[in-house]
Amino acid sequence: MVITIGREFGSGGRELGRLLAEELGIDYYDKEIITEIAKHTELSEQYIKQVVEKNPHELFPISVAHTFSYIDAQSLQITRMIFMEQEKVIKEMAKASDCVIVGRCADYILQDFKPFKIFVYADMDSKVERCLKRNEKAEDMPRKKLIKKIKSIDKNRARYYNYYTGQKWGDILNYDICINTTNKDLKALAPHIAKMVKG
Amino acid sequence: MVITIGREFGSGGRELGRLLAEELGIDYYDKEIITEIAKHTELSEQYIKQVVEKNPHELFPISVAHTFSYIDAQSLQITRMIFMEQEKVIKEMAKASDCVIVGRCADYILQDFKPFKIFVYADMDSKVERCLKRNEKAEDMPRKKLIKKIKSIDKNRARYYNYYTGQKWGDILNYDICINTTNKDLKALAPHIAKMVKG
């Protein structure tokens, strides 16, 4: 049993993933993926995070010959290696045990495993509120700036996903179920979704 | 408790709605809405069905003055009356008892009732298969023609919904949950969704 979770920033997708894993008594992977890649590659977690969260168009400029190329051949090679490693790590995790994997195009990478694919989303007010609750730093940020940040993170997630999968991030046809967490109690929701996954 | 179901043609939304109503022991309304409007207006069910399933742009041409108007004032008045009656009937149903209502922009009409809003969808292969199973006539139709028909019905549903609600049909933010019925057993799914609705 493999569950993958795509999620809008601030929608509570990670929390829901953790609750689902607890409910089903299975493993949960999120930041652990970066840690694993670091172990395999001997690169720092910080560096890997930076690479995988970059805009893919920055990582692999399509028209290198026509524009100023600001990444040299070596760092391009490292970047490619990180992505291949990520794919390997995610597949190993899914092979090793039943698990919930959040983000990282896992739904696409694990398609042969026939995962149960969830997309978690919410309206902007609800996402702002969740960000304020879980991050004290966000409290000092003007609301407008916070909204801009949320949108920008999701834009990058969409770009990243679309680039690597050739699918459209958030397209409902790529998921088994899409859950709007606006005004929802995730703890109450998780047991029902867990049962749905078990079938 | 009011549950509204928007659904793609052939996705099994109606069947899921009926199963949910059975599971929760509450009323189910679908074609009954047309029957009720007929009772209230003394128009034939056939005529009402024809009106509410028409492209809204045909019903209320926006630039009447600039194009040939093929509906006279009287039939325009009847059409408006039918839509007002539909709204009244749906609100009366929701007031009278807990229920599941399929289609008819009920999610929008009943927003003050804070319904649990479900959108049901599936991939095209699965929708074609479902159409073939439930309708013998569809078997004689070439596959290409059937797909064209499915797409055309959904296009009309979208137009109808967008026109009357000012929202976008199938926009995930308008629903609490979106369910992909591709390769899913609706009978197995319904009890879990029922529990999710109950909270």
Side-chain angles (χ1 to χ4, degrees):
Chain A
M1 183 198 301
V2 177
I3 300 169
T4 62
I5 297 189
R7 75 293 181 218
E8 289 180 355
F9 186 75
S11 69
R14 263 167 62 188
E15 194 186 334
L16 186 64
R18 207 179 286 277
L19 289 165
L20 271 179
E22 269 175 37
E23 191 69 40
L24 293 161
I26 64 180
D27 287 325
Y28 168 85
Y29 299 120
D30 173 16
K31 288 174 183 153
E32 295 78 359
I33 295 168
I34 304 289
T35 314
E36 274 306 303
I37 299 173
K39 273 189 216 158
H40 287 219
T41 58
E42 294 185 358
L43 294 166
S44 80
E45 288 189 30
Q46 187 55 31
Y47 179 76
I48 294 165
K49 208 167 170 285
Q50 216 179 315
V51 169
V52 296
E53 281 173 4
K54 252 192 196 163
N55 179 343
H57 296 292
E58 279 175 41
L59 297 173
F60 304 127
I62 288 161
S63 53
V64 173
H66 302 98
T67 58
F68 178 65
S69 170
Y70 43 85
I71 26 173
D72 56 46
Q74 203 194 348
S75 66
L76 187 59
Q77 215 178 356
I78 294 178
T79 301
R80 284 204 176 123
M81 187 259 285
I82 289 176
F83 281 107
M84 281 171 62
E85 206 53 51
Q86 173 171 287
E87 214 172 298
K88 223 169 90 184
V89 163
I90 288 176
K91 281 185 179 166
E92 274 169 14
M93 284 169 165
K95 253 184 227 161
S97 64
D98 292 350
C99 58
V100 175
I101 301 184
V102 176
R104 311 256 71 88
C105 306
D107 56 332
Y108 178 78
I109 291 170
L110 297 177
Q111 51 192 319
D112 292 343
F113 290 76
K114 303 219 174 295
F116 191 93
K117 296 176 283 184
I118 300 176
F119 187 73
V120 182
Y121 64 101
D123 70 16
M124 187 51 82
D125 281 348
S126 156
K127 291 190 283 192
V128 166
E129 208 174 306
R130 194 176 293 273
C131 286
L132 291 173
K133 256 188 210 163
R134 77 177 172 202
N135 189 344
E136 282 172 13
K137 271 189 230 157
E139 274 180 33
D140 301 329
M141 212 185 265
R143 193 182 164 84
K144 258 194 178 169
K145 207 176 160 191
L146 187 55
I147 290 176
K148 212 175 153 188
K149 200 191 153 195
I150 291 173
K151 281 185 181 167
S152 140
I153 291 173
D154 277 351
K155 211 171 164 182
N156 259 349
R157 280 185 185 171
R159 271 199 197 125
Y160 173 88
Y161 184 90
N162 302 352
Y163 189 87
Y164 288 103
T165 68
Q167 299 177 344
K168 201 172 162 279
W169 186 72
D171 176 352
I172 58 176
L173 270 173
N174 295 333
Y175 307 98
D176 291 290
I177 195 170
C178 304
I179 300 164
N180 187 345
T181 55
T182 309
N183 300 324
K184 291 281 189 302
D185 175 4
L186 298 185
K187 279 185 191 158
L189 212 55
H192 304 310
I193 299 171
K195 275 173 202 143
M196 201 183 285
V197 175
K198 283 202 275 186
Chain B
M1 183 199 301
V2 177
I3 301 169
T4 63
I5 297 188
R7 77 291 182 217
E8 289 180 356
F9 187 75
S11 68
R14 262 167 63 187
E15 193 187 335
L16 185 64
R18 206 179 287 276
L19 289 165
L20 272 179
E22 267 175 39
E23 192 69 37
L24 293 162
I26 63 179
D27 288 325
Y28 169 85
Y29 299 121
D30 172 16
K31 288 177 182 150
E32 295 77 0
I33 295 167
I34 304 288
T35 314
E36 273 307 301
I37 300 173
K39 272 189 215 158
H40 288 219
T41 58
E42 295 186 355
L43 293 166
S44 79
E45 288 189 30
Q46 186 56 32
Y47 179 76
I48 294 165
K49 208 167 169 287
Q50 215 179 315
V51 169
V52 296
E53 281 173 4
K54 250 191 197 166
N55 178 345
H57 296 292
E58 279 176 40
L59 297 173
F60 304 128
I62 289 163
S63 54
V64 173
H66 301 99
T67 58
F68 177 65
S69 171
Y70 43 85
I71 25 171
D72 56 47
Q74 203 194 348
S75 66
L76 186 60
Q77 215 178 356
I78 294 178
T79 301
R80 285 203 175 124
M81 188 259 284
I82 288 176
F83 282 105
M84 283 172 61
E85 205 55 51
Q86 174 172 287
E87 215 172 300
K88 224 168 90 184
V89 163
I90 288 176
K91 282 186 179 167
E92 274 170 13
M93 285 169 164
K95 253 183 226 161
S97 65
D98 292 350
C99 59
V100 175
I101 301 184
V102 176
R104 310 256 72 85
C105 307
D107 56 333
Y108 178 78
I109 291 170
L110 297 177
Q111 51 191 318
D112 293 342
F113 290 76
K114 303 219 173 296
F116 191 93
K117 296 175 283 184
I118 301 175
F119 187 73
V120 182
Y121 64 100
D123 70 16
M124 188 52 82
D125 280 350
S126 155
K127 291 190 284 191
V128 165
E129 208 174 305
R130 193 176 295 275
C131 286
L132 290 173
K133 254 187 211 165
R134 77 178 173 202
N135 189 344
E136 282 173 12
K137 270 188 228 157
E139 275 179 33
D140 301 329
M141 213 185 266
R143 194 182 163 83
K144 258 195 180 170
K145 207 176 160 191
L146 187 54
I147 291 176
K148 212 175 153 190
K149 200 191 154 195
I150 291 172
K151 282 185 181 166
S152 140
I153 291 172
D154 276 351
K155 210 171 165 183
N156 259 349
R157 280 185 185 172
R159 270 199 198 127
Y160 173 86
Y161 183 89
N162 302 353
Y163 190 87
Y164 288 104
T165 68
Q167 299 177 344
K168 201 173 162 278
W169 186 72
D171 176 353
I172 58 175
L173 270 174
N174 296 334
Y175 307 97
D176 291 289
I177 195 170
C178 305
I179 301 163
N180 187 345
T181 55
T182 309
N183 300 324
K184 292 280 187 303
D185 175 4
L186 298 185
K187 278 185 190 156
L189 212 56
H192 306 309
I193 300 170
K195 274 173 202 142
M196 201 182 287
V197 175
K198 283 203 275 186

